[in-house]
Amino acid sequence: MTDFPLPLFDSWFAEARQAEPNDPEAMAVATVGADGRPSVRMVLLKGHDERGFVFYTNYESRKAEQLRENSRAALLFHWKSLRRQVRIEGPVSKVSAAEGDAYFATRSRDSQLGAWASDQSRPLDSRATFEARYQAITERFQGVDVPRPPHWSGFRVAPERIEFWQDRAHRLHERRLFTLDGDGWTEGLLYP
Ligand SMILES: Cc1cc2nc3c(=O)[nH]c(=O)nc-3n(C[C@H](O)[C@H](O)[C@H](O)COP(=O)(O)O)c2cc1C
């Protein structure tokens, strides 16, 4: 038995913040809908603790639709400068409304307006249509704080499996795997 490796993640994440030229918080999130076909895209990690790893998105997007059908996801960080990856898998839940509101309030006003203007993942006939919507939203919220749209908030991936992969010479890479079962976390090594 061991503890959830939050300190290890924190130290790798801190090193990535120093080493990566941009977006150390960028991670791929893979989902699978009812049709069994996987899909993957990048998002930004906006919070993490012992409960899991949080990203924000549109609840009507394709990824959200897939998560409604199958509430499990896989996350992947690749910190190229450090030659490391972290793989996380587990069930997904929505963050609380209060948590979503608190994070939304930290975003720039432009990003807040963008969250209202975008029908993420829906077909768009032209860029001009989106710009017109953005303009209309800007006018709608003129002079007032932009509230969080009801269709925009966060998902939390609660890890059940987390693997830390470190490049080593001659492809003798190191893989440390932490898994959650019943009573707690166990740690093991994997062949590279
Ligand atoms: C580096 C990077 C970070 C991104 N961060 C987010 C994010 O935090 N939330 C989000 O909804 N989309 C983010 N996107 C856009 C997504 O990759 C994707 O285009 C969008 O969420 C729609 O995905 P879907 O149609 O599979 O739902 C990001 C893209 C890149 C390249």
Side-chain angles (χ1 to χ4, degrees), residues 23 26 41-44 56-58 61-64 120-121:
D23 291 343
R41 78 291 288 155
M42 301 303 293
V43 296
L44 297 176
Y56 287 85
T57 194
N58 187 310
S61 63
R62 182 165 176 237
K63 72 181 87 52
Q120 193 176 62
S121 314

Side-chain angles (χ1 to χ4, degrees), residues 9 12 51 65 69 81-82 114 117 124 129 132 136 145 150 153 166 186:
F9 182 85
W12 278 30
R51 294 171 300 165
E65 203 172 296
E69 294 166 359
S81 313
L82 299 170
L124 171 65
T129 302
D145 286 346
S153 195
Q166 168 75 66
T186 49

Side-chain angles (χ1 to χ4, degrees), residues 22-37:
N22 54 38
D23 291 343
E25 64 281 1
M27 58 184 185
V29 53
T31 51
V32 180
D35 63 4
R37 298 179 188 191

Side-chain angles (χ1 to χ4, degrees), residues 8-75:
L8 178 56
F9 182 85
D10 283 340
S11 80
W12 278 30
F13 193 39
E15 284 178 66
R17 284 183 187 281
Q18 298 295 322
E20 293 301 326
N22 54 38
D23 291 343
E25 64 281 1
M27 58 184 185
V29 53
T31 51
V32 180
D35 63 4
R37 298 179 188 191
S39 82
V40 64
R41 78 291 288 155
M42 301 303 293
V43 296
L44 297 176
L45 179 71
K46 289 298 176 184
H48 71 281
D49 56 23
E50 54 295 319
R51 294 171 300 165
F53 296 79
V54 175
F55 63 92
Y56 287 85
T57 194
N58 187 310
Y59 280 169
E60 287 160 13
S61 63
R62 182 165 176 237
K63 72 181 87 52
E65 203 172 296
Q66 291 179 324
L67 286 170
R68 259 196 304 282
E69 294 166 359
N70 175 354
S71 61
R72 293 191 153 267
L75 305 175

